[in-house]
């Protein structure tokens, strides 16, 4: 199933390779429309923020990183009890290696997905890592929107609309991690479960230290 949406949005080109086409098909089949359109926006917004900062990633690697970054929230891929970011990162690395991408390049994509909910650190890494986070920050949190021209933002949203996105993405987060609450320790997804899962109690870092097995 080919993506019928524009290959060029806001001056950013989606590569027309077989690998990119198959990545698109995989995510369209596995993800909800909310996650699919979000993931495409992450690619465009990340590339646009990168261009504003003089950062340029390999477009195929950035595309796969953006498309797979939330794959671990989908019903098909959220069956593990590890962090959802790792689910998506593992799938992306395997997908790339099956398409003949070298281990170093595949590892960059793995890192971009695995770290996309970790603030600041990705910006000190390769563009293929940093710009996944850049796109996620822009689309979910509104961070960095001022770096993107208004006309380009309008083009991205026209190609991939976001009706009710704020509530829809919070539901996707909740559904994807509610069965593995232990994976939210020390990260922002604990806020999601605290708000939307009755009875959830977030682990406290200080309590964990004070309650450790050390005798003092």
């Amino acid at each position: 199933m080919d993506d019928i949406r524009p290959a060029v949005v806001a001056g950013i080109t989606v590569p027309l390779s077989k690998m990119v086409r198959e990545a698109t098909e995989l995510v369209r089949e596995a993800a909800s429309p909310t996650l699919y359109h979000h993931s495409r926006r992450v690619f465009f917004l990340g590339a646009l923020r990168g261009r504003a900062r003089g950062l340029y990633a390999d477009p195929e690697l950035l595309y796969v990183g953006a498309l797979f970054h939330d794959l671990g929230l989908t019903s098909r891929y959220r069956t593990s009890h590890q962090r959802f970011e790792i689910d998506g990162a593992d799938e992306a690395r395997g997908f790339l290696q099956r398409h003949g991408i070298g281990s170093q390049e595949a590892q960059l994509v793995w890192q971009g997905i695995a770290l996309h909910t970790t603030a600041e650190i990705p910006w000190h890494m390769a563009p293929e890592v940093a710009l996944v986070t850049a796109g996620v920050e822009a689309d979910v949190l509104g961070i960095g929107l001022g770096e993107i021209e208004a006309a380009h933002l309008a083009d991205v949203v026209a190609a991939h609309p976001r009706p009710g996105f704020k509530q829809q993405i919070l539901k996707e987060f909740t559904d994807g991690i509610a069965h593995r609450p232990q994976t939210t320790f020390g990260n922002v997804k604990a806020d999601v479960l605290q708000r939307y899962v009755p009875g959830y109690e977030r682990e406290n870092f200080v309590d964990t230290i004070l309650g450790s097995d050390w005798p003092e």
Side-chain angles (χ1 to χ4, degrees):
M1 176 172 57
D2 291 329
D3 194 315
I4 62 174
R5 294 182 180 274
V8 180
V9 175
I12 303 299
T13 300
V14 176
L16 296 177
S17 66
K18 180 176 183 288
M19 182 176 75
V20 163
R21 185 170 63 252
E22 291 183 2
T24 303
E25 292 170 355
L26 186 154
V27 175
R28 286 186 74 177
E29 291 173 3
S32 66
T34 295
L35 287 181
Y36 169 71
H37 289 291
H38 163 57
S39 298
R40 290 270 293 195
R41 290 194 304 272
V42 165
F43 170 72
F44 292 117
L45 296 174
L48 287 166
R49 289 190 72 195
R51 188 164 68 184
R53 295 179 178 218
L55 294 176
Y56 298 91
D58 179 288
E60 286 190 311
L61 298 183
L62 178 59
Y63 187 82
V64 173
L67 264 285
F68 279 62
H69 84 277
D70 274 346
L71 200 62
L73 296 174
T74 67
S75 58
R76 184 181 301 179
Y77 293 100
R78 68 183 181 216
T79 57
S80 80
H81 286 274
Q82 62 186 0
R83 285 180 60 152
F84 84 93
E85 300 96 327
I86 298 174
D87 291 332
D90 287 347
E91 289 297 327
R93 181 167 55 192
F95 174 87
L96 289 166
Q97 290 175 336
R98 290 193 297 273
H99 282 81
I101 302 300
S103 59
Q104 287 186 314
E105 291 84 359
Q107 186 65 12
L108 284 177
V109 176
W110 191 95
Q111 291 169 349
I113 297 172
L115 293 172
H116 82 266
T117 58
T118 302
E120 190 175 355
I121 291 173
W123 283 108
H124 296 270
M125 301 178 74
E128 290 77 11
V129 180
L131 298 186
V132 174
T133 290
V136 172
E137 287 178 343
D139 200 46
V140 178
L141 303 173
I143 294 173
L145 293 181
E147 300 176 60
I148 303 171
E149 294 180 21
H152 288 163
L153 277 176
D155 287 345
V156 172
V157 175
H160 293 284
R162 38 176 295 149
F165 176 71
K166 292 178 180 179
Q167 293 300 321
Q168 289 297 321
I169 195 63
L170 288 169
K171 183 178 186 304
E172 297 282 358
F173 292 153
T174 304
D175 292 346
I177 59 178
H179 71 287
R180 43 184 167 180
Q182 75 285 353
T183 66
T184 66
F185 178 61
N187 69 76
V188 295
K189 293 303 185 288
D191 295 337
V192 176
L193 297 192
Q194 188 171 43
R195 177 70 62 91
Y196 294 108
V197 176
Y200 169 75
E201 293 186 12
R202 66 191 303 159
E203 291 185 66
N204 183 278
F205 178 61
V206 174
D207 290 340
T208 300
I209 294 173
L210 296 177
S212 77
D213 290 340
W214 287 101
E216 77 274 12

